[in-house]
Amino acid sequence: MLLPRVEMLPLGDGDIDEMVAIENCIFPHPWTRGNFVDSIASGYSAWGCRVAGELVGYFVLMVAVDEAHLLNISVAGKRQRMGFGARLLEWAMSTARQAGASSLLLEVRPSNRGALALYRRFGFRQIGLRRGYYPAAEGREDALVLRCELARFLA
């Protein structure tokens, strides 16, 4: 049996509809079309994972001097827990390193246990807390600020 081909490809304006569709299915407070348009227009690195042509996940990464910030990483609901998040995270870390970053920062909801486990597996450690950072069903939810030293992980 032939397995479908998995490709990591840069994303642009033509991919935004697919990214927005995934966001709207998996998040109660998704990124808007404008968030994606602005990120791509600003030159942030956007990459997607495609399986047999289908976008199954993506990330948006901002690099500033020697530090990168993972702004968004998402995997389509039906494709979660299949290793695509790990594949995307590893690609994001490698992309950041190639752009000259020595560390990668991100924010994550404390309630997102699956993402937290993935980030910890990749060497991310909590360095801060942003109170009331995320909109939530009832008010706001804090964000844990995590960092990974890329040289340590990608040596």
Side-chain angles (χ1 to χ4, degrees):
M1 177 176 158
L2 273 175
L3 294 175
R5 188 167 150 190
V6 177
E7 296 178 295
M8 296 297 292
L9 300 167
L11 300 178
D13 291 336
D15 302 296
I16 291 175
D17 287 343
E18 290 173 285
M19 296 163 79
V20 169
I22 290 171
E23 283 282 309
N24 288 336
C25 286
I26 63 173
F27 294 119
H29 303 280
W31 266 30
T32 65
R33 167 177 282 288
N35 293 131
F36 287 108
V37 169
D38 291 347
S39 293
I40 289 169
S42 295
Y44 299 162
S45 187
W47 285 83
C49 181
R50 290 190 178 276
V51 175
E54 172 197 357
L55 184 66
V56 300
Y58 51 86
F59 68 81
V60 178
L61 179 74
M62 175 182 70
V63 180
V65 189
D66 65 342
E67 188 170 78
H69 191 151
L70 187 60
L71 302 173
N72 187 323
I73 183 169
S74 301
V75 175
K78 67 182 180 180
R79 297 294 194 154
Q80 291 180 1
R81 308 234 186 288
M82 299 172 78
F84 293 112
R87 204 170 195 158
L88 283 160
L89 183 57
E90 189 168 25
W91 195 270
M93 294 170 78
S94 177
T95 300
R97 179 86 169 158
Q98 288 174 16
S102 59
S103 64
L104 179 60
L105 290 172
L106 60 84
E107 290 89 13
V108 62
R109 292 175 185 265
S111 62
N112 192 341
R113 296 187 188 282
L116 275 169
L118 175 66
Y119 298 142
R120 289 189 175 126
R121 192 173 99 216
F122 275 77
F124 283 83
R125 300 289 174 247
Q126 184 176 344
I127 61 163
L129 178 74
R130 299 190 201 284
R131 298 217 179 270
Y133 186 78
Y134 290 111
E138 298 192 20
R140 312 266 321 156
E141 184 176 359
D142 295 342
L144 304 178
V145 181
L146 307 182
R147 174 190 283 143
C148 179
E149 298 301 325
L150 297 173
R152 201 178 104 227
F153 181 78
L154 299 170

